[in-house]
Amino acid sequence: MSTHDLYTIPAELSTWDVEAAGAARFTWEYDDGRDRMLALYQKGKDKQWDSVKRIDWGLEVDPYNVLGIPDTTIAIYGTPLWERMGERQRRDVRLHGAAWQFSQFLHGEQGAMICSARIVESVPDLDSKFYAATQTMDEARHAETYARFLQEKVGLAYPINEHLKALLDSTLSDSRWDMPYLGMQVLIEGLALAAFGVMRDITTKPLPKQILAYVMQDEARHVAFGRMALRDYYAGLSGSELREREDFVIEGCYLMRDRLRGRETWENLGLNRSEVTEAMECVDRSEYLRLFRSLLFSRIVPCVKDIGLWSPRLQQAYADMGVLDMAGQSLEALMRQDEDIAEKLDAERFAAEEAERHAEVAETVALGTDS
């Protein structure tokens, strides 16, 4: 089945062409490079995995209850609009919400794949090219995984959100080699990583938990890569050059915040115009979504501070968004947690499989003895 058959609303075009800017850079310096970057590259090679084999695709998913979380997380829950809905329409609210969220994850992963390929092409340092090449493979695997999840388990998809598309456009059309790092590694990946983390921790369903945990294990390295490269580079930029990057970060963070409102889901649930307005007002007032949006900046704000973009006006922008206190988060601790959760999930799964095999062998032996 074509993905276009799953879209709730028509995608504008079968492809989206972004005019490339900047130069492809070769380097003839093949010495070892930076130890930390090469260590990250080695880890990127060591941690490659196959989504066909590592993920248990035989697990069932209820498309009307994808994550298995309570309805209290839905922005309109308990409101007059929710009370007016029948159970069938409420089921559609759950389905469309999950389909929209995972669709944006999918489109973001394709964007990350293209941005990391652009980094391979344009970054001047060979050690960065090496690592970005491993990330390109990671992002291809993530896009493959989310596409399969939507096609086989959810059965519904949404085109790319206009705010995510605008940030990707700005990131890819800029000729400066550091902008794919800043737009993708810091902003888009940082927000996605936090979103994956919230959903990984609250879902009660094993298949989405596996997907989110394994993808996060990769994404934590990607954000570390962006921090490492940009921190070195931004230390040598002028005040005006840093201000241009800060302008980009501020605009990008507002785009990411607005992306989370998901207006298009409410417009495709058969609601009239006034009900869509009512739903969006609920979204803006929702305490759960306010907390969710705040948590989504837990990876971005400390990363922006760490790479050296921390002027008073940037701090004020984060204060206006209500996320300035996220600057104190430890990215290293979060990254270790992401690694540990994925490895623990693997250990639990394979221990259970081993126990099942031992039980089957014991049963077979017992049958042979009885006969």
Side-chain angles (χ1 to χ4, degrees):
M1 178 185 292
S2 167
T3 304
H4 283 267
D5 295 330
L6 301 181
Y7 283 134
T8 54
I9 48 181
E12 294 176 2
L13 298 167
S14 58
T15 60
W16 173 39
D17 298 335
V18 179
E19 290 297 323
R25 292 179 173 86
F26 286 78
T27 178
W28 310 125
E29 180 57 78
Y30 293 104
D31 67 357
D32 289 343
R34 292 165 287 187
D35 290 342
R36 287 187 66 201
M37 187 68 78
L38 291 173
L40 198 63
Y41 170 53
Q42 184 62 47
K43 195 169 188 179
K45 291 187 293 181
D46 292 341
K47 295 291 186 177
Q48 294 290 323
W49 50 277
D50 185 348
S51 69
V52 174
K53 297 176 181 177
R54 194 182 191 193
I55 293 171
D56 184 359
W57 291 104
L59 292 167
E60 294 296 325
V61 173
D62 179 358
Y64 297 101
N65 189 21
V66 170
L67 295 175
I69 56 179
D71 287 342
T72 51
T73 60
I74 299 172
I76 66 169
Y77 177 79
T79 66
L81 177 58
W82 177 263
E83 297 303 326
R84 293 196 301 270
M85 289 181 172
E87 183 51 35
R88 181 174 180 178
Q89 196 168 23
R90 291 178 181 177
R91 281 161 54 89
D92 284 341
V93 169
R94 301 181 192 108
L95 168 62
H96 281 253
W100 179 84
Q101 187 69 273
F102 279 94
S103 294
Q104 303 318 310
F105 291 167
L106 167 60
H107 302 314
E109 296 294 353
Q110 184 183 177
M113 178 178 66
I114 291 170
C115 284
S116 52
R118 180 68 59 84
I119 291 170
V120 174
E121 180 184 44
S122 63
V123 70
D125 307 303
L126 191 65
D127 51 7
S128 294
K129 290 180 185 292
F130 283 169
Y131 181 77
T134 69
Q135 181 178 342
T136 304
M137 184 61 217
D138 288 345
E139 306 299 4
R141 180 172 58 250
H142 300 169
E144 168 202 357
T145 300
Y146 284 126
R148 182 173 179 177
F149 184 70
L150 283 165
Q151 290 166 344
E152 295 185 6
K153 302 299 183 179
V154 180
L156 191 70
Y158 272 83
I160 188 170
N161 174 267
E162 61 178 330
H163 303 293
L164 175 58
K165 187 176 181 182
L167 183 52
L168 276 171
D169 195 8
S170 298
T171 298
L172 288 167
S173 59
D174 198 298
S175 62
R176 295 167 292 188
W177 68 261
D178 64 297
M179 298 312 282
Y181 278 105
L182 189 56
M184 178 52 66
Q185 311 288 89
V186 176
L187 299 184
I188 297 175
E189 292 269 41
L191 184 134
L193 191 54
F196 297 165
V198 172
M199 295 173 70
R200 176 199 64 192
D201 294 342
I202 65 174
T203 183
T204 60
K205 302 297 184 179
L207 182 56
K209 183 178 284 290
Q210 282 181 28
I211 290 171
L212 292 163
Y214 295 154
V215 168
M216 286 187 72
Q217 192 176 31
D218 295 337
E219 300 290 12
R221 294 193 306 274
H222 303 167
V223 174
F225 172 46
R227 288 171 60 208
M228 203 178 302
L230 294 181
R231 187 169 51 214
D232 293 346
Y233 180 60
Y234 286 173
L237 292 187
S238 67
S240 62
E241 289 172 323
L242 290 174
R243 185 179 179 87
E244 289 174 353
R245 272 74 176 176
E246 288 179 346
D247 287 340
F248 181 86
V249 167
I250 291 170
E251 180 183 357
C253 285
Y254 278 115
L255 285 170
M256 290 293 91
R257 184 196 63 177
D258 292 341
R259 178 185 82 78
L260 299 169
R261 300 178 77 231
R263 183 182 182 90
E264 57 267 46
T265 60
W266 303 104
E267 293 174 338
N268 285 280
L269 283 166
L271 305 181
N272 60 40
R273 185 175 298 179
S274 65
E275 287 175 327
V276 170
T277 300
E278 186 179 353
M280 294 310 299
E281 290 172 351
C282 292
V283 167
D284 292 336
R285 290 196 306 265
S286 168
E287 182 60 25
Y288 170 78
L289 290 181
R290 185 201 64 76
L291 178 59
F292 183 70
R293 282 192 292 267
S294 177
L295 289 172
L296 293 189
F297 283 88
S298 63
R299 310 274 181 145
I300 294 177
V301 177
C303 188
V304 169
K305 181 181 180 181
D306 183 68
I307 62 177
L309 301 179
W310 202 240
S311 69
R313 81 193 172 93
L314 183 55
Q315 294 179 51
Q316 185 58 53
Y318 282 142
D320 293 342
M321 293 182 206
V323 297
L324 182 61
D325 59 342
M326 292 295 174
Q329 291 285 331
S330 168
L331 291 171
E332 285 76 12
L334 290 170
M335 183 175 172
R336 284 195 301 272
Q337 181 186 59
D338 296 336
E339 289 274 2
D340 291 345
I341 288 173
E343 289 174 1
K344 182 180 178 183
L345 191 59
D346 270 342
E348 290 173 350
R349 284 181 57 209
F350 296 133
E353 291 173 8
E354 188 68 21
E356 288 176 6
R357 282 195 293 270
H358 282 304
E360 289 172 1
V361 170
E363 184 179 354
T364 302
V365 171
L367 287 172
T369 302
D370 291 342
S371 62

